[in-house]
Amino acid sequence: YLGAKNEKEALHDILGIDYVTFRPQYIGPPLRTYEDGTSDNVFGIRRAGYFYGQAMNHPLKGIETLEELAKSGYCFPKSCEWECRIDKTALAQVQDYCIIGGAWSPFFHDVSELFDMEEMMILMYTAPELVKKVTETVFDFYYEQTKRAFEQNPGVIDFLFIGNDFGSQRALLVSPSHWYEFFGKEIKKMVDLAHKHGAVAGLHLCGDIHQIIPMLIEMGMDAINPIQVSAEHMDPVLLKREYGKDIVFFGGIDENRILLHGSEYEVREETKRILDILGSDGRYIVAASHDYLLPEVPARNIVAMYDEAKKFGC
C-alpha cells in the first residue's frame, strides 16, 4: 500500500514507528505439526486458527491436586531452549530506536489453557495451591528467559513489554483480590527486574481493567496497553484524570469500530481526540486499542492514524 521496498522502510521510515522488538527465539527440539495445519506449542497445547490460534486440548484438564500433577508425567518447557542473546548485526541497524526485549510472558493464558479456563477458575477456589504452583512454574519459565535477555544484552533493552489479557468487555476475568493473589505478585517481579536493569516496564491487558490500575501503579508499572476504550469503565477522559500523573497510557485509538470500519476522516478525528486526551501532557505512546493491527484493518486507516499522529509531533 505504501510502495515501500521492505518492512523496515514501511514501518520506520514512512510510518515513523520508533521501536524495535527482539524476543527470545526457540532453539529446542522441533515441535509437532499435523496434517490439518495445527501444531503443538512448547506446552504441548495443540493450536488451530488464525495467527497464534486457539487451544484444541488442555494437558492438565481433570487434574485437581498437587499429587495428581506430580503423577501425571507432564513436563513443563525449559527456558534454556530459548536463545536470548540479540544478534549484534541486527542490533547495529536500530541503535536510534527504543528496544523492546525479554519474553512476551503470557503466563495467565498458558495456565488457563493448560487446565481449561473454566476449570482453572474453579480450581482457584477448590485447589488454590495447585493453580499457584502451575502459575509459578509457567511464570518462572518466562522470567528466566527475560532475566537472561537482560544479562546477555547489558544496557540494550529499554522497554520490557509483556502481555496477559486480564479483562473482559465488562469487568476483570477474576476479582481484584484473586488477580493480585494469583497473578499480580508475578507481574511485580517482572517490573522489578526491568527497573533493576535500567528499563521501563509495560503491561498489555485488554478489556475493562480499571479496578487494578491502582495496584499496577503501586507496583511501579510504567505503562499500560492497549487501553480498550470500547470496554466498560475505560473512558479515556476518566482514566487520564484519575491515573495520568502516575502511569503512561499506550494505545487507546479504537480498533473495534473506528480503525476497522471507519472512514479515513473518522480515523484522523479519533486519533486527534485520543492524542488530546491521553497525550495532553506529552506522556503517551501512540497505538491502537489492540496490540495487533490485524489484516482485516484497512491499510489506509493504519496509515491515516500514524500520519495524523506525526502531525501532532508524536
Side-chain angles (χ1 to χ4, degrees), residues 42-54:
V42 293
F43 290 94
I45 297 170
R46 187 171 176 176
R47 311 195 69 83
Y50 182 71
F51 191 56
Y52 189 57
Q54 302 296 325

Side-chain angles (χ1 to χ4, degrees), residues 19-24 83-87 91 94-95 97-104 142-162 190 193-202 222:
Y19 67 85
V20 177
T21 303
F22 292 100
R23 297 292 186 193
E83 175 58 66
C84 299
R85 196 179 305 277
I86 299 173
D87 180 77
L91 189 60
V94 291
Q95 286 300 302
Y97 295 86
C98 170
I99 304 299
I100 294 176
W104 180 235
Y142 290 116
Y143 184 86
E144 288 304 314
Q145 288 180 44
T146 302
K147 181 172 178 286
R148 284 195 291 122
F150 277 115
E151 293 173 347
Q152 295 178 6
N153 307 282
V156 168
I157 298 171
D158 303 303
F159 187 5
L160 174 60
F161 181 36
I162 64 175
M190 282 292 194
L193 179 64
H195 292 171
K196 176 183 176 181
H197 290 276
V200 295
D222 298 292

Side-chain angles (χ1 to χ4, degrees), residues 24-305:
Q25 298 297 307
Y26 179 66
I27 56 173
L31 300 173
R32 185 176 179 183
T33 58
Y34 301 87
E35 292 183 358
D36 61 0
T38 60
S39 60
D40 289 345
N41 69 6
V42 293
F43 290 94
I45 297 170
R46 187 171 176 176
R47 311 195 69 83
Y50 182 71
F51 191 56
Y52 189 57
Q54 302 296 325
M56 304 298 288
N57 67 319
H58 308 285
L60 301 184
K61 188 177 178 66
I63 291 177
E64 298 181 352
T65 67
L66 287 169
E67 291 75 16
E68 290 176 358
L69 175 64
K71 293 177 181 178
S72 70
Y74 177 78
C75 295
F76 289 92
K78 303 177 178 63
S79 63
C80 62
E81 295 178 337
W82 295 76
E83 175 58 66
C84 299
R85 196 179 305 277
I86 299 173
D87 180 77
K88 290 184 179 180
T89 302
L91 189 60
Q93 300 175 6
V94 291
Q95 286 300 302
D96 296 331
Y97 295 86
C98 170
I99 304 299
I100 294 176
W104 180 235
S105 310
F107 65 97
F108 167 75
H109 300 281
D110 295 323
V111 174
S112 67
E113 290 182 346
L114 284 169
F115 283 115
D116 174 88
M117 182 175 281
E118 184 176 353
E119 283 200 10
M120 180 197 73
M121 290 184 172
I122 293 172
L123 290 169
M124 289 169 71
Y125 288 90
T126 62
E129 294 309 313
L130 172 63
V131 178
K132 288 179 181 178
K133 176 62 177 178
V134 174
T135 299
E136 179 183 310
T137 304
V138 174
F139 173 80
D140 285 347
F141 164 72
Y142 290 116
Y143 184 86
E144 288 304 314
Q145 288 180 44
T146 302
K147 181 172 178 286
R148 284 195 291 122
F150 277 115
E151 293 173 347
Q152 295 178 6
N153 307 282
V156 168
I157 298 171
D158 303 303
F159 187 5
L160 174 60
F161 181 36
I162 64 175
N164 287 271
D165 291 335
F166 293 115
S168 73
Q169 282 293 116
R170 296 181 178 180
L172 287 173
L173 293 171
V174 298
S175 69
S177 59
H178 267 97
W179 177 83
Y180 185 77
E181 179 183 356
F182 286 87
F183 312 109
K185 295 176 183 178
E186 316 299 334
I187 296 291
K188 176 69 163 60
K189 292 178 184 178
M190 282 292 194
V191 173
D192 291 344
L193 179 64
H195 292 171
K196 176 183 176 181
H197 290 276
V200 295
L203 176 64
H204 165 89
L205 60 174
C206 283
D208 173 12
I209 47 87
H210 80 284
Q211 289 178 298
I212 59 173
I213 293 178
M215 281 188 271
L216 293 171
I217 292 171
E218 185 175 347
M219 64 178 62
M221 188 67 69
D222 298 292
I224 52 174
N225 163 275
I227 320 302
Q228 192 175 330
V229 294
S230 61
E232 293 285 335
H233 307 107
M234 295 298 286
D235 182 336
V237 174
L238 296 179
L239 292 177
K240 187 66 176 181
R241 185 172 67 206
E242 292 292 323
Y243 309 113
K245 293 182 180 179
D246 301 308
I247 202 162
V248 171
F249 294 106
F250 175 7
I253 300 173
D254 180 60
E255 184 167 344
N256 290 44
R257 185 178 67 85
I258 300 294
L259 286 169
L260 186 58
H261 302 295
S263 66
E264 181 180 331
Y265 174 79
E266 289 174 311
V267 170
R268 290 181 180 275
E269 289 300 300
E270 181 66 4
T271 299
K272 287 189 288 187
R273 185 180 81 90
I274 294 298
L275 284 165
D276 278 337
I277 298 168
L278 297 182
S280 58
D281 57 359
R283 302 175 70 250
Y284 170 66
I285 303 173
V286 175
S289 64
H290 188 263
D291 61 323
Y292 280 102
L293 286 163
L294 299 172
E296 61 191 356
V297 178
R300 60 173 168 77
N301 285 352
I302 296 172
V303 173
M305 177 181 72

